[in-house]
């Protein structure tokens, strides 16, 4: 169990947080658990703001906080679909994915859309970095991931041959939420997520994990080039 540390003297009892589903945005590495990734980092910032210790627990345990694909609660992340392809011979539109393989992270909320609306065939990977490398290896025609990630990947010099972003389709972004069983705690969380401090914390954590995905993809590509 990962304990998220708060300053001495502010503890008023441990808050246990549990995921409600397996989807983890901006997953950088295959071995990365929920206790090590984007949401763990964001929950740490939330704990600092609340002056409480937050402990991540398994979904089967339940918790004071639930986070993930919930129908209600405070929004902490918006997952908007995007696709990145080779800029010369890759697909130019989503319809070009009909009958074609696309690389995507396991448990991605965007898989069903590409399969059902555009007729794509999913090839899944344990992390976003590995899905990106699948595109470079020619294992798929496009990689489908969060727009906030792929827009920055497309700007990197090492992706200059794979920097075509397909047109944004009409689709409502997935909102990931966090909800507390205690009303007073939920109100504090909502005030934090709506505040400038909360927005800043989310932006910093998001950027860190975008950079981490890009770095892990760079390492994977470098490893492949050495063989």
């Amino acid at each position: 169990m990962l304990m998220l540390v708060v300053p001495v003297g502010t503890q008023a009892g441990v808050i246990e947080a549990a995921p409600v589903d397996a989807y983890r945005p901006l997953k950088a590495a295959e071995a990365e658990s929920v206790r090590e990734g984007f949401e763990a980092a964001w929950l740490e910032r939330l704990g600092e703001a609340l002056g409480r210790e937050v402990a991540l627990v398994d979904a089967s345990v339940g918790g004071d906080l639930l986070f993930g694909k919930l129908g209600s609660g405070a929004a902490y992340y918006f997952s908007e679909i995007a696709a990145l392809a080779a800029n010369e011979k890759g697909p130019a539109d989503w319809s070009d994915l009909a009958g074609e393989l696309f690389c995507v992270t396991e448990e991605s909320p965007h898989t069903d859309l590409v399969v059902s609306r555009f007729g794509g065939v999913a090839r899944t990977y344990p992390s976003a970095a590995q899905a990106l490398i699948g595109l470079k290896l020619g294992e798929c025609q496009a990689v489908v991931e969060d727009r906030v990630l792929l827009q920055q990947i497309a700007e990197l010099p090492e992706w200059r041959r794979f920097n075509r972003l397909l047109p944004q389709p009409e689709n409502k972004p997935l909102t990931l939420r966090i909800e507390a069983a205690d009303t007073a705690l939920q109100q504090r969380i909502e005030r934090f997520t709506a505040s400038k401090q909360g927005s800043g914390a989310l932006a910093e954590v998001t950027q860190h994990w975008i950079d981490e995905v890009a770095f892990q993809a760079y390492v994977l590509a470098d490893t492949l080039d050495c063989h």
Side-chain angles (χ1 to χ4, degrees), residues 173-185:
L174 170 71
T175 301
L176 299 183
R177 301 180 182 275
I178 184 165
E179 189 168 40
D182 180 76
T183 302
L185 178 57

Side-chain angles (χ1 to χ4, degrees), residues 17-219:
V20 297
D21 53 72
Y23 172 54
R24 304 276 71 84
L26 304 177
K27 186 176 180 183
E30 179 176 358
E32 175 189 304
S33 73
V34 67
R35 294 174 173 83
E36 302 170 310
F38 160 78
E39 283 162 321
W42 183 78
L43 285 168
E44 181 172 10
R45 299 293 292 272
L46 174 64
E48 291 171 355
L50 296 174
R52 300 280 296 276
E53 182 179 329
V54 178
L56 285 169
V57 297
D58 293 336
S60 59
V61 176
D64 307 299
L65 298 178
L66 298 178
F67 63 91
K69 292 183 282 187
L70 291 165
S72 59
Y76 67 85
Y77 186 78
F78 297 94
S79 181
E80 186 178 20
I81 189 172
L84 191 69
N87 54 22
E88 292 185 2
K89 298 182 179 180
D93 208 332
W94 291 90
S95 59
D96 297 333
L97 293 179
E100 302 288 348
L101 287 168
F102 66 94
C103 297
V104 66
T105 308
E106 293 171 351
E107 306 294 342
S108 169
H110 306 307
T111 302
D112 289 345
L113 174 68
V114 184
V115 172
S116 62
R117 187 189 297 184
F118 303 112
V121 180
R123 178 164 183 163
T124 60
Y125 296 80
S127 71
Q130 288 163 292
L132 283 163
I133 293 303
L135 174 63
K136 277 195 171 183
L137 291 175
E139 296 173 348
C140 58
Q141 291 298 305
V143 58
V144 173
E145 256 294 343
D146 286 3
R147 181 166 296 275
V148 67
L149 169 67
L150 295 187
Q151 284 179 327
Q152 292 196 33
I153 293 293
E155 295 174 357
L156 298 175
E158 61 264 32
W159 288 89
R160 59 186 176 274
R161 292 172 54 206
F162 301 89
N163 62 3
R164 175 186 287 168
L165 282 166
L166 301 192
Q168 185 175 354
E170 292 185 6
N171 186 61
K172 185 178 180 180
L174 170 71
T175 301
L176 299 183
R177 301 180 182 275
I178 184 165
E179 189 168 40
D182 180 76
T183 302
L185 178 57
Q186 181 64 24
Q187 290 174 344
R188 293 185 65 195
I189 292 171
E190 290 174 357
R191 285 196 295 270
F192 172 70
T193 56
S195 69
K196 184 176 180 180
Q197 177 192 8
S199 297
L202 176 60
E204 289 173 7
V205 171
T206 300
Q207 188 60 54
H208 172 83
W209 285 96
I210 289 173
D211 294 343
E212 187 63 23
V213 171
F215 174 72
Q216 291 298 332
Y218 178 84
V219 170

